[in-house]
Structures are given as C-alpha cells and as structure tokens.
Amino acid sequence: MKKKFTFVNQNYEMLNKEQKPIGFTYSSENIEVKPRTQKMYRYTVIIIAFLALLVAAFFYIESMKHSERGKGLESMGAPTADTGKQADEQLRQPGMPADFKPEVLPEGTAASYTFDLIVPQENKYEVRSSIDVTNTSEKAWSQISFYFFPNQLGDMARDQCRGKVLTWVVDKCLNEIGTSNMELIGTKVNGQATDYEVEGPWLNVPLRAILPVGANATVEISYSFSLPNPINGERGHDLLQWHPMLPDYTYDWIIQPPAYGKETYSAAPANYHFRYKTPGNLMAVTSATDLDQSSGQGELKENSLKEMHVLLLDGYQMVKTMAGPTEVRVFAQEREIEGRGKNVLGTAVEAVGFFSARLGESPHKQIDIVLTEERKGSYPGIVLQPAVIHGEDKFYMPIEESQDHLLVHQLAQQWFYGKVHFDRYKDAWLNDGLSELAASLFFFAGQKKSEEESFAFANAYDDFYIMRTDVKSNLPADKYIGIQGGLVGHVQAKPVLHLWKMMKPYGTETALDFLSDYLSAYSAKKLATIEFIRFTKAYFKVDNQSFAEWLDFNPYENGDFIDFFSL
C-alpha cells in the first residue's frame, strides 16, 4: 500500500521555489501495525499518569498558599514603606481635577411666565397666561411650541386608574372618571391674534414673521379646564401640569412622547409670576415660597423654577419647622396631623438637614410635603407622600417600599432634579438613580443603618435580574415596558449598584463628596449621560469599562446632541 503526502513548512507555506507542493510517496508493506488493544492500553496509562501529576500539582499549590497566608498574617502588623506606597498606587485618591471643565449642552430657549388662575366655581379653572420667550438657539423659528397638558387630563386620569391593583377597582375608577373639559379661548403673539394647533399634549403657535436668533416674543394663551376624577379629589385638587411649558430647542423643538408611569417632559428653569383667586375654603400650596395663610387669593414670584406646581387643599392643617435655612411644611387632614403628619415632618427635617449639609443648599427656600391617600410625586418645592404605596411598574411583581424610603428618595429629587437640567425622556436616571444613591447614603451615613438595610431597595431589584448588560439605564423611558425589573429597576436601582461598587472602597464620605461636587459643577446647567461619564472618569480615575455594562455611551449618536458630546 502506498501513501502520498504534501510537505509544508511551519507557516503552512509550500516548500519549493515554484510555489508548488513537494510530494513524496512511501510504501507501507514493511510497517508493523500494532493491535488496537495495545494502543488503548498505552493511552490509558498516559491518561492515568497525567491525572496523577495534576493531583500532585494541586496539593503542592495548596500547601504554598497556606504558607503564603502564614507569612502574610505575620507581616500584617508592621507594613513597610514599600507596601504602603504600593497600596496608595492601587487605591488612588478620587477627586475633581483642578483643570476639569464641564462640557454642557446649550439651552436653546429662555422664558419668563406670568399666570392668572381664577376658580369661579367648583372644578372650573380659568387661566390667562403671558409668556416672554427668547430664542437662544442657533436657528431662527417659524413657530413656537409648548407642552400643553390640560388637553390630556382625561388620559392622565385613566392612567391613574390603571395603576390600581384589583381589576374591579380599575373598572370602577374608569367608570367614575367623568369628563374633563378644556376650552382654548385664543392665542396672541406680540398682541396680535394668531392661529394655533393642539396635538395631544402639544400646542403649536405659528409665527407671522420668523423669530431670529437672540430675538424675543410674547405669547398669550387663554383657556379654561376642569379636572376629571380621580384627579379631582374630595379634599384636595392637584392641578398637575396645568400651565403651558416651553421646551428646549436645538435644530427643532424637543418635545418628547409620554411614557406610561413616567413624566418625560422637560422645561428649562424660568422666572414665574403667579396670581390666583380661589374660593375661600381652598388653601393654595405651590412651588413658590408660600405664605402660611394662602387661601382666597394671592400673588407669588419665584425664580429658576422648572414648573409652577399648584395644589388647592380643603380642610388640611399644617405643621412646620426649619431644617437649616430651609422651611419644611407638612400638610395633612385633621385626623392625621398629630400622628402621621408629625412623623413625616421629623423624618423630612432630618433628611433635608443631611442633604443641605452634604450636598449643598436646597434649591428651594421652602419644601412642602402633602400627605395623600395614594398619589406620590416630587415636583419643584413639593412632595406628595401617599399612605398606600403602589409600585410604578404594573407589569412585574412590585418591590415593597417603606414610607421612610419613599419620602427620603423624593426629597433627594429636590436636589438632583431641582438643581441640574437634563432630558427626562432619555436621562431620567440622572434624577432617579442619583437620588436613590443619595437616599441610601442618608440611611447608611446619616442614620447609621447597616449597609444591607441602607441599600435594600436597590438590592431587591438585583434579585430580579436587572443586571443584564443589554438593558442600559439611559434608554428612552418608554423602552422599559415588558422588561424584567421595569423602569424603576433599571433607571433607579441599577445605577446605585454600579456606582456604589465604584465608590465603596473609598467610603461614604467620598461618595457624598462626589455627589456634592457633581451638583456644584452642573448646577443650573444642562448635561447628558455622556458628560456624567466624563466627569466620573476624571473623578475616580476609571476607564470606560466601569460604565459599559449599564450605560449607553452615546444614545445621541443619531440625534441632535451628537454635535455637543463625544468620548
């Protein structure tokens, strides 16, 4: 029997100069072929010998480990200068570099609002608004657009009904909503009547003449509306997003779509002049600094607010105290003011005092906490604290949340939403996630609870597999429906777990300093996730790998913001 082979060298190249394979043949007539059983025996012996070597190596390595541990324990009491130097190199001290300069997004709009709110009868609200608008973008405008939610109050009420737990309760709520009427009386630009277009939660006002860069215009909008149930409560009326809000502008108006369970609108901070006239039994609680007896009528002015939230309360009582320079007021019905009301006030004063000392002064001179049955929320200068806490994610098993945790988290949002500007549709985690981290640090460093108890809310979501790396914390808000853990798990809890892992080696003091320096660097400025990454990389001397599992490095790569950010 003859066999034919082709020779190649170690690089699998042919050997002869003509680049042709060199062949040869040989005869196998004189080759002794050993029986198969003999080959199998040889293979078995080799395998046994190999396993024996592995076992011997394992025991040798283990003995060396024990020996090294013993030497290490002997030397722990007296570290040398060399080992101390190495430790310092391994754990570089964090902090904001002296030459670090924030790179922020430009604000394309500026506004100043004047509102007159009149309540002529039960559940009828008449509004006259005058908004001074300035084009601070790099492009002339042919129209001015506003968020205009009075046209969507019925849909907002239905969303609240769908948040109920029991099916029959949902059905009952939907049947009792009733009607919400909105009548837009007219619009004017610089005193001249103009056309308008209402589309969902948006109001578009075409301009007769182009508004060039740097120019300003005054837009007047007159309308009336009523509140549907369950928004229109028996003892309190939350007007929600009752007034027009000017969004940001780059190459077009940045008006984001709504997302179930999340407020996605964003408006630049502005100055507000608010006048109101209501029935004498209603007490006005607003985002501005209110007088204690503010029922009937009043006039308020406040600067640098993102919106003017208004509640009209009937039969509520108030207790208050100071937390440093910030006045904290709690509003509750008479039966709750002594028990639940004062308990909430005590926790709130402790938290506001802690945040003021560690994160910087509150953006509001006055923070009002209104005790509700089920509604929760954090708005400029106002926190709604429910007696019954429902999870925001209706599609998953909810994580149990304590009263103290919800209250402290919502108070922290007064800093992270109140001081810094960002797109809440894509970067809501800059509010929810950082506020959750601040709340956890309050329990850990402020109340001296255990680490396990302080971070329990975020860790509970980790048990529901929120750490999957394909779901980032800065996706658009409507992309979390149907994902295990939902929006709260990925936007509020996940950032805490990753950031605390980064900060834990340095301790709570450094973590709080980081949050304080972040708020100081970006106060009254607009940023996006990619700028937070740049800031944190510089602060902790880490690389992109620290963020790759939980943040999309540049979600704006196909959008308007690509001109402003790059890693």
Side-chain angles (χ1 to χ4, degrees), residues 392-459:
E392 292 184 9
D393 295 314
K394 318 303 179 195
F395 306 99
Y396 333 98
M397 181 180 296
I399 299 298
E400 185 175 348
E401 184 173 14
S402 69
Q403 287 283 334
D404 281 356
H405 175 270
L406 176 62
L407 177 62
V408 174
H409 172 80
Q410 293 193 132
L411 287 170
Q413 290 181 321
Q414 297 294 314
W415 275 258
F416 292 97
Y417 176 58
K419 284 196 166 187
V420 181
H421 188 31
F422 47 86
D423 185 340
R424 292 205 292 178
Y425 179 64
K426 294 181 179 177
D427 289 323
W429 80 271
L430 289 172
N431 178 25
D432 297 343
L434 296 183
S435 296
E436 180 63 27
L437 176 60
S440 300
L441 292 171
F442 164 74
F443 293 122
F444 196 19
Q447 292 195 334
K448 306 301 180 184
K449 294 183 179 181
S450 68
E451 179 181 350
E452 180 181 3
E453 188 175 4
S454 300
F455 291 85
F457 185 81
N459 285 326

Side-chain angles (χ1 to χ4, degrees), residues 92-103 510 512-523 525 531-532 534-541:
R92 290 171 291 179
Q93 290 303 311
M96 188 164 63
D99 59 349
F100 181 86
K101 295 181 179 180
E103 296 180 3
T510 296
L512 289 164
D513 288 343
F514 167 80
L515 293 178
S516 176
D517 290 340
Y518 161 78
L519 290 172
S520 177
Y522 297 101
S523 181
K525 300 180 178 68
E531 173 64 6
F532 177 88
R534 193 177 76 89
F535 173 79
T536 310
K537 284 169 60 178
Y539 202 98
F540 285 101
K541 286 79 175 176

Side-chain angles (χ1 to χ4, degrees), residues 529-531 533-534 537 544 547 552-554 565-567:
T529 289
I530 198 167
E531 173 64 6
I533 293 175
R534 193 177 76 89
K537 284 169 60 178
N544 293 340
F547 310 94
D552 186 347
F553 278 48
N554 197 354
F565 285 121
S566 61
L567 276 177

Side-chain angles (χ1 to χ4, degrees), residues 338-351:
E338 287 298 325
R340 184 181 166 211
K342 290 187 176 180
N343 288 337
V344 168
L345 180 63
T347 303
V349 168
E350 186 180 2

Side-chain angles (χ1 to χ4, degrees), residues 16-198:
N16 67 353
K17 296 180 180 179
E18 290 78 15
Q19 296 298 307
K20 294 181 180 180
I22 299 176
F24 80 100
T25 60
Y26 76 96
S27 174
S28 62
E29 294 177 356
N30 299 323
I31 296 177
E32 179 182 0
V33 179
K34 296 184 179 180
R36 182 175 181 85
T37 54
Q38 190 174 355
K39 287 184 180 180
M40 293 296 295
Y41 175 76
R42 289 176 57 194
Y43 293 154
T44 302
V45 172
I46 291 172
I47 291 172
I48 292 174
F50 180 71
L51 291 175
L53 287 173
L54 284 178
V55 172
F58 172 79
F59 283 108
Y60 175 76
I61 292 171
E62 287 298 311
S63 65
M64 292 298 294
K65 285 182 179 179
H66 286 292
S67 175
E68 290 298 324
R69 287 195 191 102
K71 293 178 182 178
L73 289 172
E74 292 173 2
S75 61
M76 281 178 65
T80 64
D82 290 338
T83 58
K85 183 178 180 180
Q86 291 173 1
D88 289 339
E89 292 176 354
Q90 292 174 355
L91 195 64
R92 290 171 291 179
Q93 290 303 311
M96 188 164 63
D99 59 349
F100 181 86
K101 295 181 179 180
E103 296 180 3
V104 298
L105 288 167
E107 299 280 6
T109 63
S112 179
Y113 298 88
T114 299
F115 294 122
D116 287 278
L117 172 67
I118 300 174
V119 185
Q121 63 188 53
E122 179 70 19
N123 196 24
K124 183 174 183 180
Y125 306 90
E126 297 177 352
V127 181
R128 295 193 304 269
S129 61
S130 177
I131 308 168
D132 293 329
V133 177
T134 303
N135 181 357
T136 59
S137 72
E138 298 179 354
K139 184 179 178 182
W141 299 346
S142 61
Q143 72 173 29
I144 299 176
S145 296
F146 297 91
Y147 281 108
F148 191 66
F149 290 101
N151 191 47
Q152 295 289 292
L153 290 174
D155 290 340
M156 295 167 74
R158 281 183 280 274
D159 282 346
Q160 287 195 21
C161 286
R162 296 184 186 106
K164 309 292 184 181
V165 177
L166 300 176
T167 303
W168 69 270
V169 178
V170 173
D171 294 338
K172 182 175 183 292
C173 180
L174 290 172
N175 291 331
E176 294 177 350
I177 282 180
T179 59
S180 60
N181 299 315
M182 192 284 295
E183 180 185 1
L184 209 162
I185 300 169
T187 60
K188 295 180 180 180
V189 176
N190 295 331
Q192 293 186 335
T194 185
D195 295 331
Y196 59 84
E197 178 189 10
V198 177

